[in-house]
């Protein structure tokens, strides 16, 4: 019988000729090569003529796709459009199908034909396609508490067979709960490729506990070796919730607030998003001021101390804070430029007024002193007095008042003299006090000439000293006058031309009335001693040269002074 006739007969009687090798399955990955072995293709069948492959259609009609002759060792492929160029048949009759498709999922049959029998080996081909990585789309920008929110759609594409989508929150599976979790899913099949697109939509009732919660979805699908899972990237949503509490605090560049500072009141609600507008209530005011979350107060005053409040626009959830405005005032009486007369008294008071206790510090010429009490003003009391106070806990809160005291007085002048070591010249000293500084002029009464001072020394506040050097050829009287705007005082001093040592009268440096009296006593004692010495010298001189009395008179000065010297001499002899 011819081979074609035998094939026709065998096909018609296939049901009775099958030997029943059993049905096995070949699994393949979409797009890869499918290798379908012929169950007995590797066994040597006696009398094997050729092998042939077919697949069965849903209506059970067979479609032949490939034939291999065992005698001629030649392969031929049937004209089946969907397999053109995709088939290969090996020597052991293994059928290979490249670029696996979903439509390749069929029941293929390997037919081995001998001269006496036909052997059929059926194989079920399964094709698997892993889906694309699931992705959450249509996400909201935020979720609100107290209502069902759309979380998004989880989409996984191009899977085969069907896949399944599961939602997770922080790694825990989300199951449908009425009013809390709602899940809907759908799928669609691509009519060309046969692949499935899976979509699952999630609605979720969010709470504040969902802040920073991670939502994700995963697709489970079939693969040749079993189930597989692929998870999406997690998403985190901004959770909106209403304000439950408001707080208020003061923004200030310093820890404490003082009068004149600028402060900002900041009101914050703990909702998300936080409220953008509030009502601010200033101390003593019942009506709120509508403002943003920051309320600026410039140049704050002391009377602004008190409770500051803020609330939501609906006047609920009121928060308050205490603001203390520190202040410091200082009153100095008298202050500024004060002029007093020597010996006067002056009452001075420096009184602070502050938001808390302070201490007062007095300074004169940058030196700290106790509070001054002026009961008997002297020139040394003149100067700049500063009364200063501060709040140590409040940075920059310091006050200072200044008193410029000037003590004025009429001039007082004292004269003294001495003979210089050369025996010829005399030094006249004058000491003067008073303020403003007196102008001093010394004049020789014998010739009316003004004498120039050679040196001036400041002894103390309001007291000055100077000296005048002269070489008299005859006895002279020197008069010195001190004058300022308050008055004038003059004193005279007799100067002898005799070269007799004269003790230097002490210089008064105190300036008060007691020292002045002591100085007068000293001058009187010095004059008495000088007169005693002069009398003794005159007596000795007379004894030695009595005939020359007329010449002596010329040497010792005028007649008036000689008479005085003779009187002193008689007193000495007595």
């Amino acid at each position: 019988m011819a081979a074609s006739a035998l094939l026709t007969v065998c096909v018609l009687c296939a049901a009775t000729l099958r030997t029943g090798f059993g049905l096995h399955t070949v699994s393949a990955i979409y797009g890869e090569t499918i290798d379908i072995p012929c169950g007995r293709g590797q066994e040597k069948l006696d009398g094997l003529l050729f092998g042939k492959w077919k697949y069965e259609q849903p209506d059970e009609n067979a479609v032949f796709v490939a034939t291999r002759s065992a005698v001629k060792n030649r392969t031929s492929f049937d004209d089946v459009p969907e397999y053109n160029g995709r088939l290969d048949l090996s020597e052991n009759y293994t059928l290979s199908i490249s670029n696996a498709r979903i439509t390749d999922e069929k029941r293929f049959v390997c037919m081995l034909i001998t001269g006496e029998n036909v052997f059929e080996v059926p194989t079920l081909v399964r094709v698997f396609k892993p889906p694309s990585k699931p992705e959450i789309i249509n996400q909201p920008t935020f979720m609100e508490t107290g209502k069902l929110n759309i979380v998004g759609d989880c989409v996984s594409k191009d899977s085969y067979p069907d896949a399944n989508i599961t939602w997770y929150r922080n790694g825990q599976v989300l199951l449908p709960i009425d009013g809390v979790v709602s899940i809907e899913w759908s799928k669609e099949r691509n009519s060309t490729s046969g692949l499935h697109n899976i979509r699952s939509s999630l609605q979720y009732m969010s709470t504040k506990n969902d802040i920073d919660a991670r939502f994700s979805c995963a697709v489970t699908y079939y693969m040749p070796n079993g189930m597989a899972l692929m998870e999406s990237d997690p998403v985190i949503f901004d959770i909106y919730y209403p304000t439950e509490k408001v707080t208020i605090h003061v923004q200030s560049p310093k820890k404490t607030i003082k009068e004149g500072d600028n402060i900002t009141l900041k009101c914050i609600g703990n909702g998300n998003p936080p409220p953008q507008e509030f009502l601010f209530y200033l101390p003593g005011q019942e009506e709120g001021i509508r403002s943003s979350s920051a309320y600026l107060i410039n140049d704050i005053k002391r009377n602004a101390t008190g409770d500051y409040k803020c609330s939501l626009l609906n006047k609920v959830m009121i928060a308050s804070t205490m603001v203390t405005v520190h202040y410091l005032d200082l009153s100095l009486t008298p202050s500024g430029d004060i002029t007093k007369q020597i010996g006067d008294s002056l009452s001075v008071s420096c009184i602070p007024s502050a938001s808390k206790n302070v201490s007062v510090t007095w300074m004169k010429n940058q030196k700290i002193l106790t509070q001054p009490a002026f009961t008997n003003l002297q020139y040394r009391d003149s100067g700049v007095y500063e009364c200063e106070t501060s709040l140590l806990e409040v940075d920059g809160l310091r006050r200072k008042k200044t008193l410029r005291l000037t003590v004025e007085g009429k001039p007082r002048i004292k004269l003294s003299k001495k003979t210089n070591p050369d025996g010829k010249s005399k030094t006249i000293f004058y000491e003067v006090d008073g303020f403003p500084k007196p102008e001093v002029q010394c004049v020789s009464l014998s010739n009316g000439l003004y004498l120039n001072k050679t040196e001036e020394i400041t002894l103390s506040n309001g007291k000055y000293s100077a000296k005048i050097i002269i070489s008299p050829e005859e006895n002279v009287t020197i008069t010195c006058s001190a004058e300022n705007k308050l008055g004038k005082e003059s004193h005279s001093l007799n100067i002898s031309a005799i070269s007799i040592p004269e003790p230097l009268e002490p210089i008064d440096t105190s300036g008060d009335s007691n020292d002045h009296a002591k100085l007068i006593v000293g001058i009187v004692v010095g004059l008495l001693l000088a007169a005693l010495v002069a009398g003794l010298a005159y007596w000795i001189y007379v004894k030695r040269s009595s005939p020359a009395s007329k010449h002596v008179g010329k040497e010792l000065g005028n007649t008036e002074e000689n008479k005085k010297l003779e009187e002193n001499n008689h007193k000495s002899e007595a």
Side-chain angles (χ1 to χ4, degrees):
M1 183 180 294
S4 59
L6 180 59
L7 177 60
T8 302
V9 172
C10 290
V11 168
L12 294 175
C13 59
T16 59
L17 295 179
R18 289 174 184 163
T19 58
F21 287 109
L23 181 66
H24 70 281
T25 302
V26 169
S27 297
I29 304 300
Y30 183 87
E32 297 182 1
T33 299
I34 308 172
D35 293 321
I36 312 173
C38 184
R40 297 192 62 173
Q42 295 180 355
E43 299 178 6
K44 186 66 174 177
L45 292 177
D46 294 336
L48 178 64
L49 299 177
F50 57 90
K52 198 169 184 66
W53 278 93
K54 66 178 180 180
Y55 67 83
E56 297 177 349
Q57 293 180 318
D59 58 3
E60 295 187 354
N61 289 325
V63 177
F64 291 93
V65 294
T67 303
R68 184 179 181 84
S69 172
V71 177
K72 297 182 179 180
N73 195 22
R74 187 174 58 185
T75 301
S76 63
F77 299 99
D78 295 272
D79 185 15
V80 180
E82 64 175 308
Y83 288 108
N84 286 343
R86 297 174 58 210
L87 301 179
D88 185 46
L89 187 60
S90 66
E91 291 182 0
N92 62 0
Y93 297 96
T94 296
L95 179 65
S96 297
I97 306 174
S98 64
N99 191 21
R101 302 172 182 174
I102 303 303
T103 54
D104 295 332
E105 193 173 73
K106 301 181 179 74
R107 186 174 184 267
F108 285 84
V109 179
C110 174
M111 302 174 62
L112 298 176
I113 302 168
T114 65
E116 300 178 353
N117 207 348
V118 176
F119 298 92
E120 290 189 356
V121 181
T123 301
L124 182 62
V125 174
R126 299 295 305 273
V127 178
F128 297 88
K129 169 65 170 65
S132 62
K133 181 178 179 178
E135 179 184 5
I136 299 177
I137 62 175
N138 300 329
Q139 302 174 30
T141 56
F142 61 89
M143 291 197 297
E144 296 183 69
T145 60
K147 59 182 275 188
L148 277 174
N149 297 270
I150 295 176
V151 176
D153 296 331
C154 181
V155 176
S156 181
K157 298 180 179 180
D158 301 330
S159 66
Y160 190 87
D162 287 347
N164 189 37
I165 290 177
T166 305
W167 283 94
Y168 296 87
R169 177 189 177 276
N170 290 338
Q172 300 295 318
V173 176
L174 287 174
L175 299 176
I177 301 175
D178 189 25
V180 178
V181 179
S182 176
I183 300 175
E184 296 181 357
W185 72 278
S186 63
K187 71 173 182 178
E188 59 182 25
R189 182 177 179 274
N190 188 307
S191 60
T192 302
S193 65
L195 299 177
H196 298 280
N197 294 332
I198 310 298
R199 179 185 294 263
S200 178
S201 300
L202 172 65
Q203 287 184 300
Y204 178 79
M205 175 77 76
S206 62
T207 67
K208 288 180 67 174
N209 293 330
D210 294 311
I211 297 174
D212 296 329
R214 298 162 64 89
F215 290 85
S216 62
C217 64
V219 58
T220 53
Y221 54 95
Y222 293 96
M223 291 297 285
N225 55 353
M227 297 290 293
L229 182 142
M230 190 184 306
E231 191 171 0
S232 70
D233 293 331
V235 292
I236 299 175
F237 298 99
D238 193 9
I239 305 299
Y240 280 14
Y241 49 88
T243 295
E244 299 172 349
K245 181 182 178 181
V246 296
T247 56
I248 183 174
H249 64 272
V250 179
Q251 291 181 333
S252 175
K254 300 174 182 177
K255 293 181 180 180
T256 53
I257 301 169
K258 68 178 183 301
E259 191 171 35
D261 284 348
N262 300 331
I263 67 170
T264 300
L265 298 175
K266 186 72 173 179
C267 196
I268 301 173
N270 66 346
N272 186 36
Q276 298 301 308
E277 286 190 311
F278 297 87
L279 291 176
F280 286 88
Y281 303 86
L282 305 184
Q285 295 184 4
E286 295 183 359
E287 290 298 323
I289 302 172
R290 186 166 180 167
S291 173
S292 65
S293 60
Y295 183 74
L296 177 64
I297 301 177
N298 290 316
D299 191 20
I300 193 167
K301 302 300 182 183
R302 66 186 66 184
N303 56 6
T305 294
D307 281 328
Y308 288 78
K309 302 176 182 179
C310 73
S311 72
L312 299 179
L313 295 182
N314 57 7
K315 299 184 179 182
V316 298
M317 303 180 200
I318 297 179
S320 66
T321 185
M322 180 65 183
V323 174
T324 300
V325 182
H326 292 283
Y327 63 91
L328 177 59
D329 293 333
L330 189 62
S331 174
L332 176 62
T333 306
S335 62
D337 294 328
I338 301 299
T339 301
K340 301 295 287 185
Q341 298 296 311
I342 190 168
D344 287 352
S345 61
L346 177 64
S347 177
V348 178
S349 64
C350 186
I351 302 174
S353 175
S355 54
K356 59 192 308 182
N357 293 333
V358 295
S359 59
V360 175
T361 301
W362 280 93
M363 299 186 70
K364 180 185 180 184
N365 300 329
Q366 307 302 318
K367 293 182 179 180
I368 298 177
L369 69 160
T370 58
Q371 181 170 349
F374 305 117
T375 56
N376 182 18
L377 289 172
Q378 300 296 318
Y379 294 122
R380 60 177 174 269
D381 294 323
S382 295
V384 178
Y385 293 84
E386 293 178 338
C387 176
E388 185 175 15
T389 185
S390 63
L391 290 180
L392 298 180
E393 297 85 354
V394 183
D395 186 24
L397 194 54
R398 184 184 301 271
R399 297 289 182 267
K400 181 169 65 176
K401 294 287 186 177
T402 301
L403 166 65
R404 294 176 180 85
L405 176 61
T406 302
V407 179
E408 295 183 343
K410 296 178 180 180
R412 294 184 302 174
I413 188 168
K414 294 177 291 184
L415 302 178
S416 62
K417 61 183 179 180
K418 78 169 185 178
T419 301
N420 296 327
D422 61 7
K424 297 180 181 180
S425 62
K426 309 275 185 166
T427 300
I428 298 126
F429 298 91
Y430 70 79
E431 183 179 294
V432 63
D433 62 5
F435 193 86
K437 181 182 177 182
E439 292 291 333
V440 179
Q441 290 184 336
C442 293
V443 62
S444 174
L445 297 181
S446 60
N447 53 20
L449 295 177
Y450 288 97
L451 304 177
N452 294 324
K453 58 187 177 184
T454 60
E455 184 179 356
E456 183 177 273
I457 300 173
T458 300
L459 301 177
S460 61
N461 290 333
K463 184 178 291 188
Y464 310 91
S465 174
K467 62 183 179 180
I468 300 171
I469 300 175
I470 61 174
S471 298
E473 295 180 355
E474 59 181 1
N475 297 336
V476 295
T477 299
I478 303 299
T479 298
C480 292
S481 300
E483 183 178 9
N484 63 13
K485 67 178 183 179
L486 300 177
K488 179 178 180 181
E489 183 175 278
S490 300
H491 284 286
S492 298
L493 187 64
N494 293 323
I495 306 299
S496 173
I498 303 174
S499 299
I500 301 174
E502 300 178 46
L504 177 63
E505 295 156 6
I507 300 296
D508 179 19
T509 59
S510 64
D512 57 29
S513 58
N514 291 333
D515 291 343
H516 186 64
K518 292 177 182 178
L519 179 60
I520 294 173
V521 173
I523 293 173
V524 172
V525 172
L527 290 174
L528 290 175
L529 291 175
L532 181 60
V533 173
L536 180 59
Y538 178 71
W539 179 78
I540 294 172
Y541 181 78
V542 170
K543 289 291 185 179
R544 291 182 178 177
S545 54
S546 54
S549 60
K550 198 170 190 178
H551 177 72
V552 171
K554 291 181 181 179
E555 290 292 324
L556 294 181
N558 58 30
T559 305
E560 195 174 320
E561 186 175 2
N562 289 335
K563 288 180 180 180
K564 291 182 181 179
L565 292 176
E566 288 177 1
E567 290 175 0
N568 289 337
N569 185 34
H570 293 316
K571 290 178 182 178
S572 298
E573 290 178 354

